[in-house]
């Protein structure tokens, strides 16, 4: 009689290809869940913001995004997120127009409640209290420099 304990196997305990495949199939949802749990809430916000921006474009499928980031803001003790970035897409004539900045703010009834895309044609400076032109566009004054500035992102002036 053969000593099966010496091999640490019970009689008939040899692994078959069928049992290996069954183990992999059963374990796969757990492995995928662990891998997906590494996705950050910020990446979900970025994706939702990009989808919302695309809805405002003439050719959503042509959209190219860069420098998309999430800024955490605090207003009256309430923390909220703002998604900022740049988008380039084809215009009605089929040509790419160049990158424009955008800002997206999460909503209460939808993942993104508000989107504003910079109009590249309106890069005129704002007028200061003294009546002189300032080095800030209206988009920068009202949106970009107010919501998209943090430790890693400095304010911009006239698109620079």
């Amino acid at each position: 009689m053969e000593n099966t304990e010496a091999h640490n196997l019970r009689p008939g305990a040899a692994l078959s290809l069928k049992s290996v495949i069954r183990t992999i199939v059963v374990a796969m949802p757990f492995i995928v869940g662990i891998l997906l749990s590494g996705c950050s809430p910020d990446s979900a916000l970025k994706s939702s913001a990009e989808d919302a921006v695309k809805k405002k474009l003439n050719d959503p499928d042509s959209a190219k995004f860069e420098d998309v980031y999430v800024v955490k803001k605090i207003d009256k003790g309430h923390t909220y997120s703002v998604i900022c970035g740049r988008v380039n897409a084809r215009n009605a004539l089929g040509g790419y127009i160049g990158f424009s900045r955008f800002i997206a703010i999460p909503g209460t009834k939808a993942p993104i409640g508000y989107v504003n895309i910079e109009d590249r044609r309106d890069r005129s400076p704002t007028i200061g209290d003294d009546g002189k032109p300032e080095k800030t566009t209206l988009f920068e004054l009202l949106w970009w420099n107010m919501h998209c500035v943090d430790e890693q992102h400095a304010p911009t002036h006239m698109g620079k």
Side-chain angles (χ1 to χ4, degrees), residues 67-71 84 144-145 148-156:
D67 302 328
V68 180
Y69 60 95
V70 177
V71 176
C84 305
W144 193 263
N145 290 343
C148 297
V149 173
D150 62 7
E151 302 81 36
Q152 290 87 31
H153 305 93
T156 61

Side-chain angles (χ1 to χ4, degrees), residues 34-48 70 72:
I34 290 168
L35 292 174
L36 289 179
S37 68
C39 295
S40 71
D42 284 356
S43 62
L45 279 174
K46 290 178 191 178
S47 179
S48 294
V70 177
K72 305 290 186 202

Side-chain angles (χ1 to χ4, degrees), residues 100-120:
S100 294
R101 294 173 290 183
F102 72 85
I103 177 172
I105 300 173
T108 55
K109 296 181 181 177
I112 301 297
Y114 180 80
V115 172
N116 191 335
I117 302 172
E118 175 183 33
D119 185 348
R120 290 179 43 83

Side-chain angles (χ1 to χ4, degrees), residues 90-102:
R90 294 185 191 273
N91 62 15
L93 299 175
Y96 278 94
I97 58 174
F99 281 93
S100 294
R101 294 173 290 183
F102 72 85

